[in-house]
Amino acid sequence: MAVKQALTAIGDNGKPVDWWFLYKIAGKSVTSDGSKATGTEYIYFDPQYTSGKKLVLSPNLISAANSGCVGATLSQVYNNLSNTDQGWFFYNDENPVNGKTNSDRGHTKGVLCFNLATDSAFWLIHSAPKFPPKGKYSYPSTATENAQTFLCISLKDAATAK
């Protein structure tokens, strides 16, 4: 029998958290040690962050499908595409047919996922263009040049996702 796992924001350490935030470094940046960034590095924090502690680059990359907070959180969607108790939608400000954006509309992007059997949900809000993709996890090269922000929150129940 399959174990029913509640949906939640998954932290950078692979464990559930109430929320997490990351700042993805721009690919045109240079790190403090003088090396050039790839545009997949990020600075991460969550409720376990200790005030006064210096924020540092995560050992994970945003391009990793099953490690780090983004890949681990979204694996709950990608690894359960046929789960009839689970629903989700990916949204962004691009027309799904022609890929064009409309500046008269909100510049919004995100993922909302809920599970009726476990009465759980999460909401991921981000600024990365053309993300996330359909089918399986990947991070688009179109989102590596500029900096991006991501905020993921665990919702108290599936009804909150409405």
Side-chain angles (χ1 to χ4, degrees):
M1 184 166 119
V3 175
K4 290 184 179 180
Q5 186 76 24
L7 291 172
T8 183
I10 303 293
D12 222 31
N13 63 1
K15 297 184 182 343
V17 293
D18 289 337
W19 60 268
W20 56 255
F21 175 83
L22 75 80
Y23 176 83
K24 191 205 58 74
I25 306 299
K28 52 190 168 188
S29 299
V30 176
T31 64
S32 59
D33 68 3
S35 59
K36 177 149 176 22
T38 64
T40 59
E41 301 91 345
Y42 60 88
I43 295 168
Y44 168 89
F45 64 97
D46 65 23
Q48 282 76 48
Y49 171 75
T50 304
S51 180
K53 182 179 171 187
K54 182 180 176 183
L55 292 174
V56 296
L57 286 176
S58 170
N60 300 301
L61 299 176
I62 202 165
S63 54
N66 293 311
S67 64
C69 57
V70 181
T73 298
L74 290 180
S75 71
Q76 298 171 101
V77 176
Y78 290 118
N79 294 341
N80 293 291
L81 294 173
S82 62
N83 183 341
T84 58
D85 290 320
Q86 193 159 295
W88 71 94
F89 61 92
F90 298 170
Y91 61 95
N92 66 48
D93 55 358
E94 296 174 353
N95 181 309
V97 176
N98 64 21
K100 294 182 181 180
T101 58
N102 182 333
S103 61
D104 294 337
R105 296 190 177 134
H107 190 57
T108 59
K109 300 164 180 55
V111 175
L112 183 63
C113 186
F114 61 91
N115 187 299
L116 300 174
T118 61
D119 195 25
S120 57
F122 70 83
W123 186 17
L124 170 63
I125 306 159
H126 66 84
S127 64
K130 303 185 185 306
F131 181 79
K134 291 189 278 183
K136 69 177 188 167
Y137 185 89
S138 66
Y139 196 75
S141 60
T142 55
T144 59
E145 182 179 347
N146 296 316
Q148 309 295 338
T149 57
F150 288 70
L151 171 66
C152 189
I153 57 174
S154 298
L155 301 176
K156 72 176 187 167
D157 55 31
T160 303
K162 287 183 183 180

